[in-house]
Amino acid sequence: MKQNALRKMARLPMKLINQWDKWHHRSRTHEYLARMDSRMLKDIGVTEADRMDEISKPFWRE
């Protein structure tokens, strides 16, 4: 039982780093989408409604 708990604890720093990386990526994506004009959105196949839906989400929510 102790070894299992120690293994989980050993993986915790990597899990935290991975989660931070996901959140950082989402945050940056929201920033990029917020700055795009309608032509740029059209080029990547994103509607204005899609953009607003995405940038209104908190970075921690998928």
Side-chain angles (χ1 to χ4, degrees):
M1 185 76 147
K2 262 188 176 179
Q3 285 185 349
N4 194 21
L6 288 174
R7 284 187 191 122
K8 285 182 181 181
M9 286 178 58
R11 289 190 297 257
L12 184 61
M14 189 50 95
K15 284 184 175 188
L16 291 172
I17 290 168
N18 288 338
Q19 189 62 50
W20 181 87
D21 191 48
K22 286 179 191 177
W23 288 347
H24 180 70
H25 179 32
R26 283 185 203 142
S27 178
R28 297 292 298 189
T29 300
H30 289 179
E31 289 175 25
Y32 293 144
L33 282 172
R35 286 188 260 146
M36 289 182 169
D37 61 26
S38 59
R39 181 188 54 80
M40 296 167 107
L41 292 172
K42 186 177 179 183
D43 285 348
I44 63 170
V46 174
T47 67
E48 186 66 34
D50 292 338
R51 170 174 63 170
M52 293 309 293
D53 285 344
E54 187 59 35
I55 65 175
S56 66
K57 290 185 213 174
F59 67 87
W60 59 86
R61 190 179 312 150
E62 258 183 86

